[in-house]
mmCIF file of all heavy atoms in Angstrom:
data_model
loop_
_atom_site.group_PDB
_atom_site.id
_atom_site.type_symbol
_atom_site.label_atom_id
_atom_site.label_comp_id
_atom_site.label_asym_id
_atom_site.label_seq_id
_atom_site.Cartn_x
_atom_site.Cartn_y
_atom_site.Cartn_z
ATOM 1 N N GLN A 233 115.134 71.182 -18.669
ATOM 2 C CA GLN A 233 116.474 71.786 -18.723
ATOM 3 C C GLN A 233 116.678 72.835 -17.615
ATOM 4 O O GLN A 233 117.751 73.430 -17.525
ATOM 5 C CB GLN A 233 116.712 72.434 -20.073
ATOM 6 C CG GLN A 233 116.584 71.469 -21.253
ATOM 7 C CD GLN A 233 117.684 70.436 -21.252
ATOM 8 O OE1 GLN A 233 118.830 70.731 -20.925
ATOM 9 N NE2 GLN A 233 117.364 69.218 -21.635
ATOM 10 N N GLY A 234 115.639 73.117 -16.831
ATOM 11 C CA GLY A 234 115.735 74.148 -15.818
ATOM 12 C C GLY A 234 115.939 75.539 -16.415
ATOM 13 O O GLY A 234 116.584 76.398 -15.816
ATOM 14 N N LEU A 235 115.387 75.758 -17.611
ATOM 15 C CA LEU A 235 115.623 76.993 -18.340
ATOM 16 C C LEU A 235 114.430 77.930 -18.309
ATOM 17 O O LEU A 235 113.278 77.509 -18.426
ATOM 18 C CB LEU A 235 115.940 76.688 -19.818
ATOM 19 C CG LEU A 235 117.285 76.055 -20.151
ATOM 20 C CD1 LEU A 235 117.311 75.651 -21.622
ATOM 21 C CD2 LEU A 235 118.429 77.019 -19.829
ATOM 22 N N VAL A 236 114.729 79.203 -18.200
ATOM 23 C CA VAL A 236 113.785 80.299 -18.480
ATOM 24 C C VAL A 236 114.504 81.239 -19.428
ATOM 25 O O VAL A 236 115.627 81.668 -19.135
ATOM 26 C CB VAL A 236 113.342 81.053 -17.208
ATOM 27 C CG1 VAL A 236 112.492 82.276 -17.569
ATOM 28 C CG2 VAL A 236 112.585 80.124 -16.263
ATOM 29 N N VAL A 237 113.867 81.564 -20.553
ATOM 30 C CA VAL A 237 114.450 82.468 -21.517
ATOM 31 C C VAL A 237 113.442 83.564 -21.803
ATOM 32 O O VAL A 237 112.274 83.292 -22.090
ATOM 33 C CB VAL A 237 114.837 81.745 -22.838
ATOM 34 C CG1 VAL A 237 115.415 82.716 -23.833
ATOM 35 C CG2 VAL A 237 115.797 80.593 -22.559
ATOM 36 N N ILE A 238 113.883 84.840 -21.704
ATOM 37 C CA ILE A 238 112.942 85.925 -21.981
ATOM 38 C C ILE A 238 113.530 86.863 -23.035
ATOM 39 O O ILE A 238 114.744 87.020 -23.155
ATOM 40 C CB ILE A 238 112.541 86.695 -20.688
ATOM 41 C CG1 ILE A 238 113.667 87.605 -20.205
ATOM 42 C CG2 ILE A 238 112.113 85.744 -19.598
ATOM 43 C CD1 ILE A 238 113.407 89.047 -20.507
ATOM 44 N N ARG A 239 112.640 87.448 -23.791
ATOM 45 C CA ARG A 239 113.020 88.430 -24.820
ATOM 46 C C ARG A 239 111.981 89.526 -24.829
ATOM 47 O O ARG A 239 110.782 89.280 -24.922
ATOM 48 C CB ARG A 239 113.108 87.754 -26.174
ATOM 49 C CG ARG A 239 113.654 88.656 -27.301
ATOM 50 C CD ARG A 239 112.582 89.381 -28.090
ATOM 51 N NE ARG A 239 113.151 90.103 -29.246
ATOM 52 C CZ ARG A 239 112.467 90.978 -29.995
ATOM 53 N NH1 ARG A 239 111.200 91.255 -29.729
ATOM 54 N NH2 ARG A 239 113.049 91.581 -31.011
ATOM 55 N N MET A 240 112.441 90.784 -24.747
ATOM 56 C CA MET A 240 111.591 91.972 -24.932
ATOM 57 C C MET A 240 112.128 92.772 -26.123
ATOM 58 O O MET A 240 113.327 92.754 -26.390
ATOM 59 C CB MET A 240 111.660 92.888 -23.693
ATOM 60 C CG MET A 240 110.909 92.436 -22.495
ATOM 61 S SD MET A 240 111.128 93.623 -21.121
ATOM 62 C CE MET A 240 109.722 93.182 -20.107
ATOM 63 N N GLY A 241 111.243 93.452 -26.809
ATOM 64 C CA GLY A 241 111.727 94.296 -27.896
ATOM 65 C C GLY A 241 110.643 94.668 -28.899
ATOM 66 O O GLY A 241 109.479 94.408 -28.708
ATOM 67 N N GLU A 242 111.114 95.295 -29.982
ATOM 68 C CA GLU A 242 110.246 95.563 -31.124
ATOM 69 C C GLU A 242 110.079 94.279 -31.895
ATOM 70 O O GLU A 242 110.743 93.253 -31.628
ATOM 71 C CB GLU A 242 110.870 96.644 -32.001
ATOM 72 C CG GLU A 242 111.208 97.954 -31.302
ATOM 73 C CD GLU A 242 110.000 98.845 -31.097
ATOM 74 O OE1 GLU A 242 108.881 98.465 -31.501
ATOM 75 O OE2 GLU A 242 110.176 99.922 -30.516
ATOM 76 N N SER A 243 109.226 94.319 -32.914
ATOM 77 C CA SER A 243 109.041 93.141 -33.765
ATOM 78 C C SER A 243 110.381 92.686 -34.344
ATOM 79 O O SER A 243 111.191 93.489 -34.777
ATOM 80 C CB SER A 243 108.084 93.474 -34.903
ATOM 81 O OG SER A 243 108.115 92.465 -35.884
ATOM 82 N N ALA A 244 110.595 91.369 -34.338
ATOM 83 C CA ALA A 244 111.834 90.796 -34.915
ATOM 84 C C ALA A 244 111.773 90.726 -36.422
ATOM 85 O O ALA A 244 112.711 90.248 -37.046
ATOM 86 C CB ALA A 244 112.080 89.423 -34.332
ATOM 87 N N GLY A 245 110.681 91.194 -37.000
ATOM 88 C CA GLY A 245 110.584 91.217 -38.474
ATOM 89 C C GLY A 245 109.202 90.993 -38.997
ATOM 90 O O GLY A 245 108.782 91.597 -39.976
ATOM 91 N N GLN A 246 108.479 90.085 -38.357
ATOM 92 C CA GLN A 246 107.078 89.827 -38.712
ATOM 93 C C GLN A 246 106.219 90.259 -37.551
ATOM 94 O O GLN A 246 106.355 89.734 -36.455
ATOM 95 C CB GLN A 246 106.861 88.328 -38.993
ATOM 96 C CG GLN A 246 107.697 87.768 -40.138
ATOM 97 C CD GLN A 246 107.564 86.262 -40.193
ATOM 98 O OE1 GLN A 246 107.406 85.590 -39.164
ATOM 99 N NE2 GLN A 246 107.604 85.709 -41.392
ATOM 100 N N SER A 247 105.313 91.206 -37.769
ATOM 101 C CA SER A 247 104.500 91.705 -36.675
ATOM 102 C C SER A 247 103.360 90.731 -36.420
ATOM 103 O O SER A 247 102.249 90.880 -36.922
ATOM 104 C CB SER A 247 103.947 93.085 -37.003
ATOM 105 O OG SER A 247 103.217 93.617 -35.899
ATOM 106 N N GLN A 248 103.666 89.707 -35.597
ATOM 107 C CA GLN A 248 102.711 88.653 -35.328
ATOM 108 C C GLN A 248 102.161 88.778 -33.908
ATOM 109 O O GLN A 248 102.751 89.374 -33.028
ATOM 110 C CB GLN A 248 103.375 87.289 -35.493
ATOM 111 C CG GLN A 248 104.098 87.071 -36.834
ATOM 112 C CD GLN A 248 103.153 86.939 -38.007
ATOM 113 O OE1 GLN A 248 101.949 87.149 -37.865
ATOM 114 N NE2 GLN A 248 103.667 86.612 -39.171
ATOM 115 N N LEU A 249 100.986 88.181 -33.716
ATOM 116 C CA LEU A 249 100.348 88.231 -32.406
ATOM 117 C C LEU A 249 100.983 87.281 -31.391
ATOM 118 O O LEU A 249 100.913 87.523 -30.207
ATOM 119 C CB LEU A 249 98.851 87.918 -32.525
ATOM 120 C CG LEU A 249 98.029 88.879 -33.383
ATOM 121 C CD1 LEU A 249 96.571 88.424 -33.398
ATOM 122 C CD2 LEU A 249 98.128 90.308 -32.848
ATOM 123 N N ALA A 250 101.558 86.201 -31.856
ATOM 124 C CA ALA A 250 102.144 85.230 -30.920
ATOM 125 C C ALA A 250 103.392 84.606 -31.547
ATOM 126 O O ALA A 250 104.457 85.187 -31.458
ATOM 127 C CB ALA A 250 101.082 84.147 -30.589
ATOM 128 N N LEU A 251 103.218 83.438 -32.174
ATOM 129 C CA LEU A 251 104.355 82.766 -32.808
ATOM 130 C C LEU A 251 104.811 83.525 -34.053
ATOM 131 O O LEU A 251 103.991 84.051 -34.810
ATOM 132 C CB LEU A 251 103.957 81.355 -33.186
ATOM 133 C CG LEU A 251 105.046 80.412 -33.677
ATOM 134 C CD1 LEU A 251 105.895 79.925 -32.527
ATOM 135 C CD2 LEU A 251 104.447 79.234 -34.448
ATOM 136 N N SER A 252 106.136 83.541 -34.273
ATOM 137 C CA SER A 252 106.689 84.052 -35.530
ATOM 138 C C SER A 252 107.896 83.203 -35.879
ATOM 139 O O SER A 252 108.299 82.323 -35.109
ATOM 140 C CB SER A 252 107.101 85.529 -35.386
ATOM 141 O OG SER A 252 108.307 85.659 -34.656
ATOM 142 N N SER A 253 108.514 83.468 -37.008
ATOM 143 C CA SER A 253 109.714 82.697 -37.393
ATOM 144 C C SER A 253 110.833 82.903 -36.414
ATOM 145 O O SER A 253 111.768 82.085 -36.319
ATOM 146 C CB SER A 253 110.125 83.099 -38.806
ATOM 147 O OG SER A 253 110.431 84.486 -38.866
ATOM 148 N N PHE A 254 110.821 83.996 -35.658
ATOM 149 C CA PHE A 254 111.843 84.311 -34.664
ATOM 150 C C PHE A 254 112.011 83.174 -33.652
ATOM 151 O O PHE A 254 113.128 82.855 -33.259
ATOM 152 C CB PHE A 254 111.501 85.616 -33.968
ATOM 153 C CG PHE A 254 112.380 85.949 -32.773
ATOM 154 C CD1 PHE A 254 113.610 86.559 -32.954
ATOM 155 C CD2 PHE A 254 111.961 85.659 -31.489
ATOM 156 C CE1 PHE A 254 114.414 86.873 -31.849
ATOM 157 C CE2 PHE A 254 112.743 85.965 -30.399
ATOM 158 C CZ PHE A 254 113.991 86.556 -30.588
ATOM 159 N N ASP A 255 110.895 82.588 -33.209
ATOM 160 C CA ASP A 255 110.951 81.581 -32.162
ATOM 161 C C ASP A 255 111.867 80.419 -32.572
ATOM 162 O O ASP A 255 112.771 80.041 -31.818
ATOM 163 C CB ASP A 255 109.553 81.024 -31.868
ATOM 164 C CG ASP A 255 108.621 82.099 -31.332
ATOM 165 O OD1 ASP A 255 108.561 82.289 -30.116
ATOM 166 O OD2 ASP A 255 107.936 82.742 -32.144
ATOM 167 N N ASN A 256 111.621 79.864 -33.745
ATOM 168 C CA ASN A 256 112.411 78.704 -34.164
ATOM 169 C C ASN A 256 113.852 79.091 -34.477
ATOM 170 O O ASN A 256 114.784 78.351 -34.188
ATOM 171 C CB ASN A 256 111.750 78.057 -35.376
ATOM 172 C CG ASN A 256 112.155 76.584 -35.502
ATOM 173 O OD1 ASN A 256 112.158 75.857 -34.519
ATOM 174 N ND2 ASN A 256 112.471 76.165 -36.712
ATOM 175 N N GLU A 257 114.044 80.273 -35.058
ATOM 176 C CA GLU A 257 115.400 80.730 -35.359
ATOM 177 C C GLU A 257 116.215 80.911 -34.082
ATOM 178 O O GLU A 257 117.377 80.483 -33.985
ATOM 179 C CB GLU A 257 115.363 82.054 -36.145
ATOM 180 C CG GLU A 257 114.855 81.923 -37.559
ATOM 181 C CD GLU A 257 114.611 83.270 -38.225
ATOM 182 O OE1 GLU A 257 114.924 84.313 -37.609
ATOM 183 O OE2 GLU A 257 114.108 83.279 -39.358
ATOM 184 N N LEU A 258 115.616 81.540 -33.074
ATOM 185 C CA LEU A 258 116.335 81.756 -31.812
ATOM 186 C C LEU A 258 116.700 80.416 -31.160
ATOM 187 O O LEU A 258 117.842 80.249 -30.705
ATOM 188 C CB LEU A 258 115.476 82.589 -30.858
ATOM 189 C CG LEU A 258 116.041 82.760 -29.459
ATOM 190 C CD1 LEU A 258 117.366 83.519 -29.486
ATOM 191 C CD2 LEU A 258 115.050 83.468 -28.530
ATOM 192 N N TRP A 259 115.759 79.504 -31.115
ATOM 193 C CA TRP A 259 116.056 78.224 -30.446
ATOM 194 C C TRP A 259 117.063 77.389 -31.244
ATOM 195 O O TRP A 259 117.809 76.625 -30.663
ATOM 196 C CB TRP A 259 114.772 77.452 -30.164
ATOM 197 C CG TRP A 259 114.134 78.000 -28.921
ATOM 198 C CD1 TRP A 259 113.175 78.939 -28.812
ATOM 199 C CD2 TRP A 259 114.523 77.680 -27.559
ATOM 200 N NE1 TRP A 259 112.906 79.238 -27.487
ATOM 201 C CE2 TRP A 259 113.721 78.470 -26.713
ATOM 202 C CE3 TRP A 259 115.451 76.810 -27.007
ATOM 203 C CZ2 TRP A 259 113.833 78.404 -25.318
ATOM 204 C CZ3 TRP A 259 115.564 76.738 -25.624
ATOM 205 C CH2 TRP A 259 114.758 77.541 -24.795
#
């Protein structure tokens, strides 16, 4: 898709080391 998506910030709710529920919700 020629896409780059970036996000910086505090925890979106679950303080995880990598994957969290945020990834799937955002996409």
Side-chain angles (χ1 to χ4, degrees):
Q233 302 292 323
L235 288 172
V236 173
V237 179
I238 75 104
R239 187 266 186 191
M240 285 179 161
E242 304 281 0
S243 167
Q246 299 172 328
S247 184
Q248 307 289 8
L249 298 180
L251 189 76
S252 75
S253 59
F254 171 83
D255 297 271
N256 204 45
E257 290 171 4
L258 174 63
W259 279 95

